[in-house]
Amino acid sequence: MREFLKTKGFKMTAQRELIFRSFFEMDKHVSVDELYDKIRAIDNSVGYSTVWRNLKLICKVGLAEEVNLGDGVTRYDPVTKVPHGHLYCLECKELVEFDVARVIDFLSVVAGDRDFTPEGYKIEIQGFCSKCQKARQKLAENKTTN
Amino acid sequence: MREFLKTKGFKMTAQRELIFRSFFEMDKHVSVDELYDKIRAIDNSVGYSTVWRNLKLICKVGLAEEVNLGDGVTRYDPVTKVPHGHLYCLECKELVEFDVARVIDFLSVVAGDRDFTPEGYKIEIQGFCSKCQKARQKLAENKTTN
DNA sequence: ATTGAAAATGAAATTCGATTTCATTTGACT
DNA sequence: AGTCAAATGAAATCGAATTTCATTTTCAAT
C-alpha cells in the first residue's frame, strides 16, 4: 500500500495506514461518521477531517467509490473486481450487493446508441429487506384489526 | 388538479397552481433553485420554501420523484408512464432519459431471489454526452501537442 | 355572506453533512 | 541533520435542505 501510494505521489502516515486498513476491514458501505467512530475507538487523536480526506483519497486512487442513496449521507463502497448494484432497504438502511454484469452489457449498448461515453453505472433497487418487510406486514395487520 | 389534491386532503392556492403548472411545463429535471428562478420571473412574491414544499408535495402525491446524482443537488423528475433511467453528463449536467423496462424485468428477479420487496429502481449511466466528449478530446489533443 | 379550523405561505432561522482554512507536524529525500 | 511538500487536527465555513413562526388564505359548515 505504501508503495502503491508513493507511485501516485502520496505519503504514508500512521493515520492513513489506520484509516485505510479499517476501511477495507469493514464489510459494509460506511459513511464518514461510521468510519470515524471506528477509528476513534482505536485512536481518539485522529481528526474527523483526516478520516474524510482519506476516504476521498481512497476514491481518488480508485479503491472505492462514493455512493449516494438520497438519504443525505455519502457512503463509501470499496471497488471490487465485479461491478455490482445495490439492494437498499428503506427501513434498516442495509445495503446488499448483487451482480450487474448483464445489466451493464445492456446499458453500454444504450449509451453507445446515443453517442454517450459512459464512465460509470449506478443500479439500485430500493425497497424492504425480508426482515423489515415482515415487520411492516405485521404492523399493517395490527392496524386493520384494531 | 384542484380536485385531485382535494381528495388527498390538500388545498389549492394561487402559488401552488403556479408552481405545479411551471413544474410540469419544464421539460427537464429541475432543482428547487431552478424552479424557484422560473417562478420568481413570473411572480416574485413567492417564497423559496413554498416552492420547496410544493415540490415535496408533488412527490408525496406521486407525480414526481426525487433524483440524486451525487452532485449535492436534488432534482425532481416528473413521473411518466414508463419507468426510465438517466444518462447524466458529468460535464454539462444534462440529463437524458432512456427506457429501462427490460432492466427492471431483470432486477425484479434479482429482488425476488433475495426476498426483497422492491419499491423503486434507480438506473443511471454517468459519463459524457457526445458534445462534451468531443470538447474533452480536443482539449486532450491540445495538451499533448503543446 | 360569515365564520372558524386547518392548511398554506414567506421570511428568517436552523440543521447538518461536506468542505476549507490555517497553524503545526510529519515523511521522504538529499 | 536539513528541507520542503504533503498531511494532520481543530475550528471555521459553506450550502442545500428543512423547520419555525407569525400571518394569511382556503374551504366547509353555518
Side-chain angles (χ1 to χ4, degrees), chain A residues 1 5 8 25 33 52-53 57 66 77 88 95 97-98 115 130 132 135 142 145:
Chain A
M1 192 72 250
L5 284 178
K8 305 237 174 189
E25 269 173 10
D33 278 317
W52 179 80
R53 279 186 287 235
L57 180 63
E66 297 192 343
D77 180 10
Y88 177 58
L95 216 47
E97 301 183 350
F98 63 92
D115 250 328
S130 64
C132 291
N142 287 342
T145 46

Side-chain angles (χ1 to χ4, degrees), chain B:
Chain B
M1 190 72 251
R2 177 181 227 95
E3 290 312 309
F4 170 72
L5 285 178
K6 194 188 294 182
T7 67
K8 305 238 173 189
F10 301 104
K11 297 171 177 173
M12 182 49 77
T13 65
Q15 295 93 329
R16 176 158 294 166
E17 174 145 19
L18 174 59
I19 292 167
F20 274 54
R21 187 187 307 286
S22 300
F23 174 67
F24 291 110
E25 270 174 10
M26 317 250 331
D27 55 350
K28 57 185 204 132
H29 302 65
V30 290
S31 61
V32 180
D33 277 317
E34 285 168 341
L35 188 57
Y36 177 63
D37 286 346
K38 172 159 182 182
I39 296 289
R40 292 290 282 212
I42 300 166
D43 177 351
N44 75 352
S45 72
V46 178
Y48 176 92
S49 48
T50 299
V51 175
W52 178 81
R53 279 187 286 236
N54 275 289
L55 278 171
K56 285 287 194 185
L57 179 65
I58 290 172
C59 292
K60 192 186 295 190
V61 299
L63 298 177
E65 278 174 1
E66 297 193 342
V67 181
N68 268 79
L69 285 321
D71 64 353
V73 184
T74 300
R75 269 164 258 265
Y76 294 81
D77 179 9
V79 166
T80 54
K81 28 282 148 218
V82 261
H84 59 267
H86 294 125
L87 288 156
Y88 177 58
C89 180
L90 297 167
E91 184 73 30
C92 67
K93 315 297 184 196
E94 191 198 19
L95 215 47
V96 174
E97 300 182 352
F98 62 92
D99 179 70
V100 290
R102 284 181 53 194
V103 177
I104 287 184
D105 285 345
F106 173 75
L107 294 182
S108 44
V109 172
V110 170
D113 285 349
R114 316 209 178 202
D115 249 328
F116 191 90
T117 308
E119 291 283 320
Y121 302 90
K122 196 181 285 191
I123 296 131
E124 280 158 26
I125 307 178
Q126 307 178 334
F128 300 99
C129 68
S130 63
K131 200 195 307 186
C132 290
Q133 176 64 7
K134 276 174 196 145
R136 284 164 52 83
Q137 284 182 341
K138 193 156 290 178
L139 199 63
E141 284 166 21
N142 287 342
K143 265 193 186 157
T144 51
T145 47
N146 288 349

